[in-house]
Amino acid sequence: MANTSARMLRLLSLLQTHRHWRGLELAERLTVSERTLRRDIDRLRELGYPVHSGRGSAGGYQLRSGTAMPPLLLDDEEAVAIAVGLRTAAGGTVEGIEETSLRALTKVVQVMPPRLRRRVDALRAYTVTAPTAGPQVDATTLTVIAQACRDDERLTFTYATPSGEPAARLVEPHRLVSLKRRWYLVAWDLDRADWRIFRLDRLTGPAATGARFRPRDLPAADAAAYIAERLGSRPTRYDITVLLHAPAGTVDPVVAVTGGQVEPVDDHSCRLRLQVNAFDWPVLILAAVGAEFDVVNPPEFRHYLRDVGRLFLRGGTA
């Protein structure tokens, strides 16, 4: 019975994604025969879960949406994952959900069995979430865009260009991506007939149009790879190289979110490369690393550091 119960819970978890599953695919996921799968589906229906089944080549199973559901069931890994996700969201880049995430986390932990509560308590006690310095995005904006991506529904919004001028856009949304402290939308721009990347902190008033579309093939392995490649190919004003007198293993975690490249020189030093349009951000990175360094290039950055150093010296001796 224990194995059957665990399998039923796994089956319900797969169906709750609301995607359409072929019977053979579900059976392979659960490592059972299709006959056993049909019996498990019947048991779920007896418990009140509205599982729709189709016949023929397109046949399969799908959990109907918009129907009153029995209480939500989670397996151990899902329960812990939700708790960790809520903990991370409380200090993340989504505006207005910090308090909501903490309230939800409290409720989830209260109903957990003791063995899971101990795992979550350990994670909560011995992990530290660093505050996020990137721009925050409204939770409603994320939800509207995510639903449009899921439903293959065209989306309209107002987008501010780098110059600050707003423009109306009509797109076919593909994926939302969180990368380097920012949220991005990858979408097919209908007016420009090409793929585009939109920063969500520059996007306002997203609204689904109700018009469905056939998803296009993204010219990359996935949306995150596409954004990283496109952003990395954009020209920058300065190519900074700094020799840091600290091990690469110490420096790399500090600069990982900045896109900087760390190359070991020896056991006690490394070379840091940054491609930027202004010098203020590299100064903050070097201060965060907290190690002695030598500027290799460009000379303008060396001069900028001298000016900043004089400014701080004056402030420290006042």
Side-chain angles (χ1 to χ4, degrees):
M1 179 62 70
N3 289 336
T4 301
S5 299
R7 188 178 69 246
M8 293 279 290
L9 185 56
R10 174 62 175 158
L11 171 59
L12 183 57
S13 297
L14 293 172
L15 290 172
Q16 283 177 330
T17 62
H18 290 291
R19 59 162 284 189
H20 181 272
W21 292 91
R22 293 187 300 108
L24 179 59
E25 186 179 5
L26 269 180
E28 290 176 348
R29 286 287 192 104
L30 299 169
T31 321
V32 297
S33 67
E34 291 190 73
R35 181 178 179 181
T36 299
L37 173 65
R38 288 193 292 271
R39 287 201 301 265
D40 289 347
I41 292 291
D42 289 339
R43 291 191 185 100
L44 286 180
R45 288 169 175 159
E46 292 172 1
L47 293 171
Y49 289 93
V51 183
H52 172 75
S53 60
R55 297 180 178 180
S57 58
Y61 302 98
Q62 186 173 20
L63 198 61
R64 288 197 186 100
S65 59
T67 307
M69 297 287 289
L72 177 67
L73 297 176
L74 301 171
D75 60 28
D76 289 5
E77 288 75 15
E78 290 172 334
V80 173
I82 286 177
V84 173
L86 290 171
R87 171 96 167 97
T88 303
T93 57
V94 182
E95 183 179 5
I97 67 166
E98 297 88 348
E99 183 180 348
T100 306
S101 298
L102 290 174
R103 290 202 309 267
L105 176 60
T106 300
K107 292 179 181 179
V108 170
V109 172
Q110 284 177 345
V111 298
M112 281 183 171
R115 70 181 189 282
L116 294 185
R117 196 178 305 139
R118 285 193 294 270
R119 292 171 61 182
V120 173
D121 286 343
L123 285 167
R124 185 164 46 180
Y126 293 97
T127 59
V128 177
T129 302
T132 303
Q136 289 192 319
V137 174
D138 180 66
T140 302
T141 296
L142 277 176
T143 302
V144 170
I145 297 175
Q147 289 178 341
C149 292
R150 180 197 64 189
D151 298 335
D152 298 331
E153 190 171 350
R154 288 178 177 173
L155 190 72
T156 62
F157 52 83
T158 300
Y159 192 70
T161 62
S163 62
E165 298 178 1
R169 310 300 280 264
L170 175 63
V171 304
E172 295 177 351
H174 179 71
R175 289 291 187 276
L176 282 168
V177 178
S178 177
L179 181 67
K180 297 180 183 177
R181 304 171 293 111
R182 296 189 189 277
W183 281 93
Y184 298 91
L185 167 65
V186 177
W188 177 266
D189 192 313
L190 289 163
D191 294 327
R192 291 154 181 79
D194 196 6
W195 289 98
R196 288 290 189 269
I197 298 171
F198 301 96
R199 276 177 43 177
L200 262 62
D201 55 302
R202 294 179 179 171
L203 183 155
T204 56
T209 65
R212 298 297 180 90
F213 63 89
R214 185 185 298 275
R216 304 171 188 266
D217 292 330
L218 185 70
D222 55 56
Y226 179 76
I227 290 179
E229 179 182 352
R230 290 288 296 272
L231 295 183
S233 64
R234 293 179 180 177
T236 53
R237 186 176 179 184
Y238 301 107
D239 191 345
I240 296 175
T241 303
V242 176
L243 180 64
L244 283 159
H245 300 288
T250 303
V251 175
D252 193 58
V254 180
V255 304
V257 297
T258 69
Q261 300 174 1
V262 179
E263 176 187 347
V265 175
D266 53 40
D267 292 341
H268 307 289
S269 62
C270 62
R271 189 176 290 105
L272 171 64
R273 182 181 176 186
L274 298 165
Q275 294 176 316
V276 297
N277 290 310
F279 289 146
D280 51 354
W281 182 239
V283 171
L284 295 176
I285 295 173
L286 293 174
V289 172
E292 294 186 0
F293 62 89
D294 300 305
V295 175
V296 179
N297 60 65
E300 298 95 324
F301 184 49
R302 192 179 299 113
H303 299 155
Y304 181 85
L305 287 172
R306 288 172 183 168
D307 293 340
V308 171
R310 293 190 189 101
L311 177 64
F312 277 87
L313 283 174
R314 286 197 298 269
T317 57

